[in-house]
Amino acid sequence: MEKIQHSHVQVRGLKLHVVQTGTGPKVVLFLLGFPEIWYSWRHQMIAMANAGYRAVAFDFRGYGLSDHPPEPERANFNDLADDVVALLDSLAIDK
């Protein structure tokens, strides 16, 4: 894919697979539906980057190339929300 960058970011004890494209000052964060991975948003991410935005998506814990939590049966929606906030903090995205 054109100019899509892959990395792993340590978030709350897990490595999350993060995908980014674009360099604009405004950020669009793509969240996925169950059981999708970042790849579902690839076309929209490229369109956002071409429109001047920084597009970010990640594989949720336990999906795609992200680490599985030690006790996946105990995961809940708050884990997702906390992961998103921690990821944004680690990428220096403040709003």
Side-chain angles (χ1 to χ4, degrees), residues 6-70:
H6 297 260
S7 63
H8 280 88
V9 176
Q10 193 75 19
V11 171
R12 302 179 62 232
L14 298 173
K15 282 190 320 184
L16 298 182
H17 176 235
V18 179
V19 181
Q20 300 184 68
T21 188
T23 58
K26 295 183 180 178
V27 178
V28 177
L29 176 65
F30 290 88
L31 299 177
L32 310 161
F34 176 81
E36 301 294 328
I37 61 172
W38 78 270
Y39 193 74
S40 300
W41 290 115
R42 67 194 182 279
H43 298 297
Q44 293 88 345
M45 291 179 72
I46 292 168
M48 289 291 98
N50 290 339
Y53 294 88
R54 177 178 171 194
V56 179
F58 71 102
D59 293 339
F60 294 164
R61 54 175 49 215
Y63 291 92
L65 298 176
S66 290
D67 284 348
H68 292 261

Side-chain angles (χ1 to χ4, degrees), residues 11-12 58 61 74-87:
V11 171
R12 302 179 62 232
F58 71 102
R61 54 175 49 215
R74 298 189 76 192
N76 61 47
F77 186 76
N78 289 332
D79 289 320
L80 171 60
D82 293 342
D83 288 350
V84 169
V85 170
L87 176 66

